């Protein structure tokens, strides 16, 4: 007997170079172990045997019958113009009725030799109608010889695994390859500690692999799935638990606010009271800041729930304790916006070292890539000397040249655009690792938070501050009901006449090269055939047409930073009625007087993005209105997605819908480098229970044995996961 190939054996040695090459290039499978973890997507049942007299249409059936006759016809076709096309017609009978089978082209040779009149066989395929007669086209078949009864039962009842395949490699070829490597499953080292496996009644890993690829019953599949989900959830949670454990071992300077410091002075001047949620989350943060290991906290809050206020109070507490705080924003527009709103909120407390500055004041500096050399030099100097207690900037803050006097806290806005490695780079800027507060306005379901941000503690702000107005949302079906779109522009005019302002958002800027136009052609419908609407064209058409006479301006990401800032300032000051923009306004832009948001081609945006955009209106006392314009037909998935957004303002509910509609990969993929690819069986939304339990088990195991010395198989699985993660990060970087 041949020796069983090891799990790390390259596939080209086992399957041959041609198959291995396709598997590597198209499915990312390189070793025997990779192939064993390429699980079936679903299982086909050949089905119970059916009598020919009772064949149902359009269903997969399995019949046992005898060949009555077989005829080979030749015909001309576009592929075989000289009458060289071949069609084999086989008639079978089981005594209750007759049925025709057809085979075409190169597929006729084998059945022509094997299906001779009088032969008994089993046939499986999908019933269709041709020339008013039932037929099976290209059915799978198995000749019956000898002990026919037993063969019939086992063959017809078998569950056939259907694998995620590619055009270059069909599912049944992958199945054949798996047949070859399946004996190696016995060698699979089990990453789950025995106590955990037995305590939860999970089957051993080798058994789970056999059952997932060669199940005899549906119960086999279920047992295997439960076990393999546990593997994925547990190994991932151990990786995160180890990261949390390592972080907890790091030293940090405790930062406590002074009773008579800048935070107290700031709080005394607040023109409103903090919400219950803001107070509670602030207390959690202050408790973390007072410890001697670094805080790692994720702050989730709906658009407009007052996260910036919570973050600013945390930064002031650190300044009180003699440290500096840095706030990182994903874009320059947003960094400028934060800088403006923080200095406005602080007033003369932000004028440290200047005439008119308050007694506890500090300096708040802005640092972005496009600043002039002189301003940049001054900002860097203020940071190095400690003159500036707060700095707000883009990723430019992570550069080597930036030196801090004593960095105590890093606040990261919109974490899903900011990977683990960048956080680590910033951490290296402090004498000791700084505390870290991560903010996101994208509501993340609890399980995703546990999976993606599992190395962070989570706080949630779910109340809106008093004085916020509700937002009404409606879908505008521009293709079915053009008059609805005309009415939308009238609504914009009405709001402007009341003294309010409006946003119009488009998916594209509009000065791209023609070649860059929408390449995505989906047959779903006509709307996809034209490129997405563009800011520059739309602004021009609106100014000439339905919004003539209003002050319409455009804003997009390729404008010079100064020009962008100028447009935003004019809009904020009320000198622009309608701002036509790309998603640069998605996060952080705060204009309380804007009450309408019209999103063109809304079907081109993701659910959470639409929710973010909508959060830009209704920020003042007047009610907000959000109009989702789409040309998609009523029945399309895209329209259903828009209806979901229009029907609820609950971001957590929407993020659930979003996750169910997309694959987790996208959600997780946006969030961090790596770890996604490891989720083959686990569905982050549906498997909440497994993830929560795995997190608990992982935390306990890491606390008892941080280096996993007693669990070598778990270490191996972890190394494989982290290698994959590192690899992905390097590819992205």
């Amino acid at each position: 007997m041949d020796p069983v190939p090891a799990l790390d054996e390259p596939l080209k040695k086992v399957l041959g170079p041609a198959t291995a090459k396709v598997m590597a290039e198209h499915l990312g499978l390189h070793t025997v172990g990779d192939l064993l973890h390429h699980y079936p997507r679903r299982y086909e049942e050949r089905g119970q045997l059916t009598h020919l007299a009772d064949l149902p249409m359009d269903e997969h059936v399995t019949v046992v019958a005898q060949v009555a006759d077989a005829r080979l016809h030749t015909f001309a076709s576009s592929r075989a113009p000289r009458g060289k096309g071949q069609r084999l017609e086989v008639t079978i009978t089981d005594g209750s009725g007759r049925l025709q089978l057809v085979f075409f082209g190169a597929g006729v040779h084998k059945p022509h030799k094997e299906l001779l009149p009088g032969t008994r066989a089993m046939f499986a395929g999908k019933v269709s109608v041709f020339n008013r007669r039932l037929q099976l086209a290209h059915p799978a078949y198995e000749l019956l010889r000898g002990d026919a009864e037993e063969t019939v039962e086992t063959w017809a009842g078998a569950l056939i695994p259907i694998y995620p395949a590619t055009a270059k490699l069909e599912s049944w070829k992958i199945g054949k390859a798996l047949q070859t490597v399946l004996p190696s499953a016995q060698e699979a080292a089990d990453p789950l500690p025995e106590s955990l496996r037995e305590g939860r009644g999970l089957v051993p890993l080798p058994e789970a692999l056999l059952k997932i690829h060669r199940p005899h019953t549906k119960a086999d599949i279920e047992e295997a799935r439960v076990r393999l989900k546990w593997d994925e959830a547990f190994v991932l949670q151990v990786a995160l638990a180890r990261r949390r454990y390592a972080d907890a071992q790091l030293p940090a300077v405790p930062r406590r606010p002074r009773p008579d410091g800048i935070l107290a002075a700031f709080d005394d001047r607040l023109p409103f009271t903090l919400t219950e949620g803001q107070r509670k989350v602030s207390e959690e943060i202050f408790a973390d800041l007072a410890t001697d290991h670094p805080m790692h906290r994720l702050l989730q809050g709906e658009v407009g729930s007052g996260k910036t206020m919570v973050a600013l109070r945390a930064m002031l507490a650190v300044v009180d304790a003699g440290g500096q705080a840095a706030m990182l924003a994903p874009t320059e527009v947003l960094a400028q916006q934060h800088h403006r709103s923080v200095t406005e909120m602080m007033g003369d407390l932000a004028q440290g070292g200047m005439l008119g500055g308050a007694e506890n004041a500090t300096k708040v500096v802005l640092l972005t890539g496009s600043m002039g050399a002189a301003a940049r030099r001054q900002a860097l100097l203020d940071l190095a000397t400690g003159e500036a207690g707060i700095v707000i900037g883009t990723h430019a803050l992570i550069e080597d040249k930036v030196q801090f006097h004593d960095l105590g806290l890093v606040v990261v806005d919109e974490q899903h655009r900011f990977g683990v490695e960048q956080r680590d780079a910033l951490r290296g800027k402090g004498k000791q690792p700084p505390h870290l507060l991560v903010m996101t306005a994208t509501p993340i379901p609890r399980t995703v938070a546990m999976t993606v941000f599992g190395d962070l503690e989570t706080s949630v702000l779910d109340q809106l501050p008093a004085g916020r107005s509700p937002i009404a949302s409606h879908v505008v079906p521009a293709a079915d009901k053009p008059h609805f779109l005309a009415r939308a522009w009238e609504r914009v005019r009405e709001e402007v006449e009341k003294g309010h302002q409006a946003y119009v958002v488009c998916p594209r800027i509009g000065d791209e090269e023609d070649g860059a136009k929408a390449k995505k052609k989906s047959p779903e419908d006509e709307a996809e055939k034209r490129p997405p609407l563009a800011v520059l064209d739309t602004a021009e058409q609106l100014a000439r047409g339905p919004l003539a006479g209003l002050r319409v301006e455009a804003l997009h990401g390729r404008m010079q930073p100064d020009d962008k800032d100028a447009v935003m300032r004019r809009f904020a000051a009320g000198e622009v009625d309608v701002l036509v923009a790309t998603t640069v306004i998605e996060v952080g832009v705060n204009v309380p007087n804007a009450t309408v948001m019209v999103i063109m081609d809304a079907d081109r945006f993701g659910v959470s993005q639409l929710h973010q955009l909508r959060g830009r209106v209704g920020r003042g006392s007047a009610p907000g209105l959000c109009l989702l314009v789409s040309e998609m037909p009523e029945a399309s998935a895209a329209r259903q997605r828009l209806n979901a957004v229009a029907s609820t303002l609950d971001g957590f509910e929407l993020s659930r819908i979003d996750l169910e509609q997309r694959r987790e990969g996208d959600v997780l993929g946006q969030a961090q480098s790596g770890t996604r690819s490891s989720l083959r069986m686990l569905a982050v939304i549906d498997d909440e229970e497994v993830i929560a339990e795995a997190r608990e088990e992982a935390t306990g195991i890491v606390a008892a044995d941080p280096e996993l010395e007693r669990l070598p198989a778990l270490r191996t699985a972890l190394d494989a996961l982290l290698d994959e993660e590192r690899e992905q990060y390097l590819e992205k970087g």
Side-chain angles (χ1 to χ4, degrees):
M1 187 184 148
D2 296 338
V4 170
L7 295 185
D8 52 6
E9 183 92 22
L11 285 173
K12 58 174 174 281
K13 284 193 181 168
V14 187
L15 302 176
T19 308
K21 184 170 186 246
V22 177
M23 285 196 170
E25 284 175 8
H26 295 275
L27 297 168
L29 308 174
H30 303 280
T31 64
V32 168
D34 292 347
L35 181 53
L36 284 172
H37 288 292
H38 186 70
Y39 307 131
R41 192 175 53 229
R42 58 188 174 82
Y43 298 84
E44 214 34 282
E45 290 180 78
R46 288 203 179 97
Q48 300 318 307
L49 297 177
T50 314
H51 288 302
L52 293 184
D54 320 323
L55 286 179
M57 271 299 294
D58 269 350
E59 278 187 32
H60 280 276
V61 296
T62 303
V63 296
V64 172
Q66 196 163 7
V67 177
D69 70 26
R71 292 180 194 173
L72 191 60
H73 302 275
T74 51
F75 59 91
S77 71
S78 57
R79 283 192 178 169
R82 289 198 201 83
K84 288 276 190 343
Q86 291 191 310
R87 180 173 77 244
L88 176 66
E89 290 179 2
V90 178
T91 308
I92 57 173
T93 173
D94 67 350
S96 75
R98 293 168 84 83
L99 176 66
Q100 187 163 8
L101 317 176
V102 285
F103 300 88
F104 293 100
V108 305
H109 305 306
K110 186 168 174 267
H112 190 218
K113 283 209 296 279
E114 294 183 336
L115 298 178
L116 304 171
T119 310
R120 279 194 75 205
M122 273 184 296
F123 303 92
K126 192 173 183 183
V127 183
S128 55
V129 170
F130 182 71
N131 279 345
R132 308 234 291 280
R133 282 166 59 195
L134 293 182
Q135 69 165 29
L136 295 182
H138 280 285
Y141 65 86
E142 183 106 331
L143 302 177
L144 296 176
R145 305 184 179 90
D147 184 2
E149 281 316 302
E150 191 183 332
T151 320
V152 168
E153 280 313 304
T154 52
W155 193 80
L159 292 159
I160 307 157
I162 306 294
Y163 290 93
T166 77
K168 296 258 192 312
L169 198 63
E170 300 93 334
S171 168
W172 60 269
K173 284 189 181 156
I174 297 173
K176 273 216 159 70
L178 265 149
Q179 213 44 11
T180 311
V181 301
L182 207 50
S184 305
Q186 294 305 336
E187 307 297 307
D190 201 323
L192 294 191
E194 203 166 323
S195 56
L196 186 159
R197 201 181 71 227
E198 288 175 355
R200 297 195 173 270
L202 300 168
V203 299
L205 181 59
E207 186 182 329
L209 289 170
L210 286 171
K211 285 184 167 170
I212 199 82
H213 292 297
R214 289 290 165 271
H216 294 302
T217 61
K218 289 188 176 162
D220 283 355
I221 300 172
E222 193 43 40
E223 264 188 357
R225 279 198 167 139
V226 169
R227 163 62 220 242
L228 295 167
K229 278 180 179 179
W230 254 96
D231 274 20
E232 289 178 10
F234 180 71
V235 174
L236 185 54
Q237 289 301 336
V238 167
L240 294 166
R242 287 189 71 190
R243 199 183 279 160
R244 285 197 302 276
Y245 181 86
D247 287 343
Q249 308 311 306
L250 293 170
V253 181
R255 310 278 179 176
R256 296 183 182 85
R258 297 200 314 274
D260 57 346
I262 187 168
L263 176 62
F266 176 77
D267 282 351
D268 286 346
R269 307 167 173 210
L270 278 181
F272 50 82
T273 51
L274 297 174
T275 65
E276 187 52 43
Q278 285 174 317
R279 272 208 299 281
K280 185 177 115 283
V281 171
S282 289
E283 276 160 26
E284 291 172 348
I285 291 171
F286 291 153
D288 283 358
L289 289 174
T291 61
D292 53 10
H293 58 83
M295 159 170 86
H296 290 112
R297 191 166 280 282
L298 171 69
L299 172 56
Q300 283 180 251
E302 284 282 9
V303 174
S305 57
K307 290 185 301 297
T308 313
M309 173 59 72
V310 169
L312 176 54
R313 293 183 70 239
M315 294 198 286
L316 294 175
V318 169
V319 172
D320 258 351
Q324 291 169 292
M327 186 179 210
L328 265 155
T331 63
E332 294 210 349
V333 168
L334 202 53
Q336 288 162 342
Q337 175 90 28
H338 276 318
H339 181 252
R340 203 158 43 239
S341 63
V342 164
T343 45
E344 278 166 15
M345 285 200 256
M346 285 175 63
D348 59 3
L349 289 171
Q351 295 171 359
M354 297 182 231
L355 274 171
E359 120 188 55
N360 294 329
T362 186
K363 220 175 192 181
V364 179
V365 299
L366 177 69
L367 189 62
T368 60
S370 61
M371 282 168 73
R376 189 179 169 78
R377 255 201 316 278
Q378 184 59 50
L380 289 171
L381 186 65
D382 288 341
L383 285 180
T385 59
E387 187 81 5
I390 295 178
V391 56
I392 296 171
T394 52
H395 293 63
L397 279 175
I398 303 175
E399 285 171 19
D400 293 344
K401 293 193 281 293
V402 182
Q403 295 296 323
F404 288 87
H405 175 63
D406 178 12
L407 179 60
L409 169 68
V410 177
V411 179
V412 181
D413 193 23
E414 286 311 312
Q415 159 69 20
H416 58 272
R417 310 176 184 212
F418 196 80
V420 175
E421 269 72 11
Q422 291 151 309
R423 290 190 340 217
D424 290 345
L426 232 146
R427 257 179 219 171
K429 298 272 180 202
K431 295 188 177 72
Q432 287 194 338
H435 298 282
L436 175 70
L437 177 65
V438 167
M439 302 196 296
T440 176
T442 310
I444 307 164
R446 179 168 155 255
T447 41
V448 180
M450 284 194 294
T451 310
V452 180
F453 302 114
D455 56 335
L456 304 172
E457 301 299 325
T458 308
S459 298
V460 178
L461 271 179
D462 43 15
Q463 282 170 284
L464 288 187
R468 274 303 170 88
S469 306
I471 305 170
S473 307
H474 303 285
V475 177
V476 178
D480 317 346
K481 303 182 174 157
H483 59 285
F484 275 38
L485 184 57
R487 175 73 188 113
W489 300 127
E490 282 170 24
R491 283 291 290 119
V492 170
R493 288 195 93 94
E494 286 163 17
E495 286 298 309
V496 172
E497 276 157 22
K498 288 185 204 159
H500 297 305
Q501 292 159 281
Y503 296 100
V504 177
V505 178
C506 303
R508 212 163 54 93
I509 296 174
D511 54 4
E512 297 91 340
E513 299 300 304
D514 280 352
K517 283 194 179 158
K519 290 193 174 65
K520 188 173 111 202
K521 284 276 197 290
S522 112
E524 179 164 349
D525 73 17
E526 292 303 301
E528 286 286 83
K529 294 220 171 83
R530 60 165 177 73
L533 290 172
V535 167
L536 299 172
D537 313 340
T538 306
E540 198 180 319
Q541 286 160 7
L542 290 175
R544 281 208 316 265
L547 301 183
L550 302 186
R551 296 167 300 179
V552 178
E553 289 206 29
L555 175 73
H556 57 76
R558 280 214 296 278
M559 289 163 67
Q560 288 302 315
D562 292 353
D563 299 344
K564 267 193 282 205
D565 209 38
V567 173
M568 268 321 301
R569 276 175 194 278
R570 285 202 295 280
F571 187 63
E575 295 159 19
V576 173
D577 299 319
V578 180
L579 186 63
V580 183
T582 53
T583 53
V584 289
I585 60 149
E586 173 187 346
V587 274
V589 173
N590 187 17
V591 179
N593 190 41
T595 53
V596 196
M597 161 81 62
V598 182
I599 303 178
M600 307 303 291
D601 278 346
D603 45 86
R604 313 254 176 161
F605 298 95
V607 170
S608 55
Q609 212 177 11
L610 291 168
H611 181 59
Q612 286 273 358
L613 286 165
R614 166 168 67 185
R616 301 293 116 220
V617 294
R619 297 177 81 87
S621 50
L625 173 66
C626 177
L627 301 173
L628 305 167
V629 180
S630 170
E631 294 185 1
M632 286 299 200
E634 183 122 25
S636 63
R639 267 286 280 285
Q640 285 160 11
R641 209 170 62 226
L642 296 181
N643 292 339
V645 174
S647 67
T648 176
L649 291 172
D650 179 343
F652 285 93
E653 176 56 28
L654 286 174
S655 68
R656 254 194 125 78
I657 293 170
D658 197 15
L659 253 182
E660 281 161 8
Q661 291 211 338
R662 304 188 291 160
R663 294 245 344 276
E664 273 94 22
D666 313 345
V667 180
L668 302 175
Q670 281 184 337
Q672 298 285 50
S673 57
T675 56
R676 218 87 329 124
S677 51
S678 54
L679 300 188
R680 296 186 175 93
M681 192 57 89
L682 198 66
V684 172
I685 274 291
D686 304 333
D687 297 324
E688 180 161 347
E689 224 167 278
V690 177
I691 292 170
E693 289 173 13
R695 178 176 167 125
E696 209 168 295
E697 294 272 8
T699 309
I701 279 167
V702 170
D705 180 7
E707 292 304 310
L708 307 178
E709 280 160 5
R710 298 193 287 282
L711 299 166
L714 176 55
R715 280 188 72 149
T716 310
L718 200 59
D719 290 344
L721 172 76
L722 295 175
D723 264 2
E724 196 165 1
E725 187 171 339
R726 248 181 241 117
E727 231 169 58
Q728 290 221 332
Y729 179 71
L730 292 172
E731 281 167 20
K732 281 189 183 165

